[in-house]
Amino acid sequence: MEPSNDIKRLIDIMARLRDPQNGCAWDVEQTFETIMPYTIEEAYEVADAIERGDMDDLADELGDLLLQVVYHARIAEEAGLFAFGDVVHAVTDKMIRRHPHVFGPENTRSMTMAKGMWEKVKAQEKAAKAQRQLESGAIEKRPSLLDDVPRVQPSLMRALKMQKKAATVGFDWSEAEPILDKISEEMDELREAMQSKDQSHIAEEYGDLLFAMVNLGRHLGIEAETALAGTNLKFSRRFAFIEDQLEQQGKPIKDASLDEMETLWQLAKTELKPL
């Protein structure tokens, strides 16, 4: 599959940068592992541009993210693993395979438009792949349903994805209300752990509480990562309001009392308009 001229130019630039003789010394030294943090960072910068509604910046950040894909593909090609064209070919086939209600035969499209078709086809693909690996000896036992949830994802996102996976086989709460009781239970266990002064136990119970909160959000139709991002933005705006008000008073924030800051915090809640 031949890439377009534009993408081919980018692929050629990356090959030049990675050239051991005439390329960039820094680029030549990079590996999958060293580039991975930049790939994650670029994905977050794409999300940030979308959150800010900055479309010029979004185009730029999407380019940076695309560069990461080209970078990984180039490293793989040098190792004889796969090339950029293989990446495009694989995702193209996957999109067609997982949308039979769009790309399937005309007389079967309406029959395959059931909700959850993407996950159904994906599960079939995973099962077939696992069977091939078992038969070839590549793996010794069938993988867990949760094995394909990436460990490098932010923990709140990973918790959500694991919960969704478990829910596909019925391991789930039937509604949101009982989860509130679970949260109360986890709060009590956290209080007990705090009394023990055992930091590892405290951290464990705190994690259990966070996991339960993610579960509640899922049942309420709220993603914990997104909700927390909104709260982070709200906190930063209100804190900046406190700083501005104190600056107008000629008082450094480090010299303000907690009561003064709390008063300004309450004022920020009424003065600042929601985004």
Side-chain angles (χ1 to χ4, degrees), residues 37-203:
Y38 297 101
T39 307
I40 295 170
E41 180 181 345
E42 294 300 349
Y44 276 120
E45 290 182 1
V46 166
D48 180 64
I50 294 172
E51 182 72 25
R52 292 183 284 104
D54 189 333
M55 294 300 103
D56 288 338
D57 200 20
L58 176 58
D60 189 49
E61 297 300 345
L62 284 171
D64 290 344
L65 185 57
L66 175 60
L67 177 64
Q68 294 297 308
V69 178
V70 172
Y71 212 137
H72 284 287
R74 179 61 197 178
I75 295 173
E77 184 174 2
E78 292 168 359
L81 302 172
F82 58 83
F84 183 82
D86 298 308
V87 174
V88 176
H89 183 72
V91 73
T92 300
D93 281 357
K94 182 188 297 182
M95 293 302 291
I96 293 173
R97 198 166 56 244
R98 294 186 183 178
H99 291 84
H101 54 290
V102 177
F103 300 106
E106 189 72 33
N107 63 341
T108 62
R109 290 184 188 178
S110 60
M111 297 171 55
T112 56
M113 290 182 67
K115 183 179 179 181
M117 178 56 66
W118 174 279
E119 288 299 328
K120 181 179 179 181
V121 176
K122 185 177 179 180
Q124 292 171 346
E125 293 171 358
K126 294 286 184 183
K129 181 179 179 180
Q131 185 61 38
R132 290 195 302 271
Q133 290 177 324
L134 280 169
E135 292 174 355
S136 68
I139 57 175
E140 296 181 357
K141 63 177 182 178
R142 185 168 299 279
S144 166
L145 180 68
L146 306 182
D147 282 350
D148 65 336
V149 180
R151 294 188 180 186
V152 296
Q153 280 187 339
S155 294
L156 291 179
M157 292 176 62
R158 186 161 188 255
L160 176 62
K161 193 159 187 177
M162 288 195 297
Q163 291 168 5
K164 286 182 176 180
K165 287 279 187 182
T168 63
V169 293
F171 191 71
D172 194 17
W173 299 93
S174 59
E175 54 185 347
E177 193 67 28
I179 306 177
L180 290 173
D181 295 332
K182 180 63 176 176
I183 289 171
S184 295
E185 176 187 325
E186 297 296 353
M187 286 287 291
D188 290 340
E189 292 179 2
L190 178 58
R191 288 190 181 96
E192 290 179 13
M194 290 169 65
Q195 293 296 321
S196 73
K197 308 297 183 182
D198 183 336
Q199 195 61 28
S200 63
H201 188 200
I202 294 171

Side-chain angles (χ1 to χ4, degrees), residues 8 10-20 27-28 30-32 35 66-85 87:
K8 186 176 186 307
L10 179 58
I11 292 170
D12 289 343
I13 288 172
M14 178 52 64
R16 175 71 181 275
L17 290 172
R18 291 276 300 176
D19 184 277
D27 286 293
V28 172
Q30 302 314 304
T31 65
F32 291 125
I35 289 298
L66 175 60
L67 177 64
Q68 294 297 308
V69 178
V70 172
Y71 212 137
H72 284 287
R74 179 61 197 178
I75 295 173
E77 184 174 2
E78 292 168 359
L81 302 172
F82 58 83
F84 183 82
V87 174

